[in-house]
Amino acid sequence: MPTLSEIDEIKLENLSVEEFIDKQVDEIRSVVGDGVAINALSGGVDSSVVTMLGHRALGDRLRTIFVDSGIMRRGEPEWVHSVFKDLGVEVEVLDAHSEFFGALKGLTDPEEKREAVTQTFYKTVFGRAVRESGAKYLLQGTNYTDVEETVAGIKRQHNILEQLGIDTESMFGYKVLEPLIQLRKSGVRRVGKALGLPEEVYNAPPFPGPALATRVIGEVTPERVATVRLANFIVEEELRGSGAFQYLAILHEDRVTGISGGERDFGQQIEVRCWDSTDAVKGTPTKLPFESLERLGNRIATEVPGVVSVTYNITTKPPSTIEPI
Ligand code: XMP
């Protein structure tokens, strides 16, 4: 597996989509041979594109799994299953709630939380699925920016393994294939469109591998995930038409005094972020109309139990990052 300097980035202006697809399909076929491969589909752009490439290359010899980790967005497992059923791809949904929440219990450090999600995902849940299926390869949608940010030490991206010196074969029992490693997100979207994915998938705002665990400051418990899930759902519903690059809700750990039902309440705080960006490397907060912010504040404070304060991030990346964890 190449290091960052050995990866030959394909810039958008140099991307020939059909050529790229043919090359990656051939490569997957030649590496996997007549064996079986497996891939994890989250429904995000990267893993959806990899799923389509893999199915084009291997047909039924690619097993596509959606890990229902308990930290996904509202309705996500059912939505992903149905979108891909319409594309002729059968997705197996694995329930792993107890494993993820068990691994996250008591953790508050951001990198420890990311590490717990990574280990549970790759070792516990996928290691088992791979052993059961006899697959020797895992296809995944690591892109150029993921590698860049991890190597730069900004954040340990959940899907970066071999670039950090992790030998997946000896640790987890399978090799990893990364057909999108030369592309940034904008290139991945073009490839997704050409592969026939619906626009709601290929143009979807990015969503991180460790899912809502990146949006809970402090301990990630089922109750706290339920709070951020509902707030995030409202943010997505309200800002879907905004044209912004990415928008999200964050649950803070600090509590603040507020009023619920006419009484003093030491309640929870939600922070909303909405980003203008082209590639997630830099970002600026979207200048949303104040009416949109007011609507968000009102809806989140009335619809999400326990929330008494809603704030909007006004910091650029850097020094902020897009996700808080
Ligand atoms: P940050 O928070 O580092 O995020 O500014 C940059 C972009 O990457 C997404 N992100 C991730 N994507 N696995 C992913 O696949 C991850 O572990 C991960 N962490 C952050 C984030 O949503 C943003 O678009």
Side-chain angles (χ1 to χ4, degrees), residues 182-238:
Q182 293 170 280
L183 302 180
R184 293 197 190 260
K185 198 66 124 199
S186 41
V188 179
R189 291 191 200 285
R190 282 214 191 152
V191 173
K193 183 176 183 189
L195 285 165
L197 287 171
E199 185 172 0
E200 56 184 334
V201 175
Y202 74 73
N203 254 345
F207 185 68
L212 296 172
T214 63
R215 298 181 181 173
V216 172
I217 319 269
E219 191 180 2
V220 182
T221 62
E223 297 72 28
R224 302 193 75 220
V225 169
T227 300
V228 86
R229 178 182 288 125
L230 182 51
N232 198 74
F233 173 77
I234 295 169
V235 169
E236 291 196 0
E237 200 168 66
E238 290 291 328

Side-chain angles (χ1 to χ4, degrees), residues 114 149 155 157-159 206 208-210 246 280 317 321-323:
R114 281 179 167 264
E149 296 224 327
K155 252 175 225 192
Q157 302 278 325
H158 154 79
N159 52 3
Q246 194 167 354
K317 172 184 180 176
T321 52
I322 287 180
E323 307 285 347

